[in-house]
Amino acid sequence: MANPVPKPSYKRFKPTAKQRGNISPSVSQKVHERAGGRCERCGWAPGTFDPTGKRMGLQRAHLVRRWKLERTTEHDIALLCGPSVNSGTCHHWIDYTAEGREWAESFRMKLMGQYVQG
């Protein structure tokens, strides 16, 4: 059976949320330099003692949902211990708790203030 409606002949005008959430190498480098190899929330660093045993490394975490961004900048990302699927990590905390989302918003505002002033 043929499709009764033909496909549009034009391309998307607006990037998808996934495309807007892409982290460029330069943004990633700035975030790693800012964090100094440590989780920006709890200060944990890979290779140090982890009492929970749940941390597997550091991950770049969006502080704002991708669909709210025009493009990702260094003040939209934090370097957090993860993975986000393990409860007890900072990446999981900001993704899945209201308190974590509030922290992410206030941390982003702090970063934006440094960006404007410095």
Side-chain angles (χ1 to χ4, degrees):
M1 180 174 154
N3 189 354
V5 179
K7 288 187 176 183
S9 61
Y10 57 88
K11 297 201 181 234
R12 292 178 62 94
F13 294 113
K14 188 175 178 183
T16 63
K18 184 176 181 180
Q19 291 167 333
R20 291 190 309 268
N22 285 342
I23 304 168
S24 70
S26 63
V27 168
S28 184
Q29 181 182 0
K30 289 176 186 175
V31 170
H32 279 275
E33 289 172 2
R34 181 184 72 217
R38 298 191 158 276
C39 174
E40 293 188 272
R41 178 177 171 256
C42 70
W44 178 82
T48 60
F49 177 68
D50 176 17
T52 65
K54 295 181 178 185
R55 295 179 180 100
M56 299 178 86
L58 296 174
Q59 296 182 332
R60 300 166 302 172
H62 281 88
L63 298 171
V64 180
R65 299 293 180 207
R66 292 176 180 210
W67 60 268
K68 292 184 177 182
L69 299 172
E70 289 298 317
R71 67 180 178 87
T72 302
T73 64
E74 64 270 10
H75 54 268
D76 299 323
I77 303 292
L79 196 63
L80 300 175
C81 57
S84 66
V85 294
N86 284 7
S87 61
T89 65
C90 294
H91 196 164
H92 181 276
W93 183 71
I94 72 159
D95 281 353
Y96 298 105
T97 67
E99 183 183 23
R101 285 188 291 277
E102 289 174 14
W103 178 87
E105 186 177 327
S106 66
F107 186 68
R108 182 172 182 258
M109 289 298 128
K110 176 183 163 191
L111 293 175
M112 289 177 74
Q114 289 176 352
Y115 180 76
V116 170
Q117 294 171 3

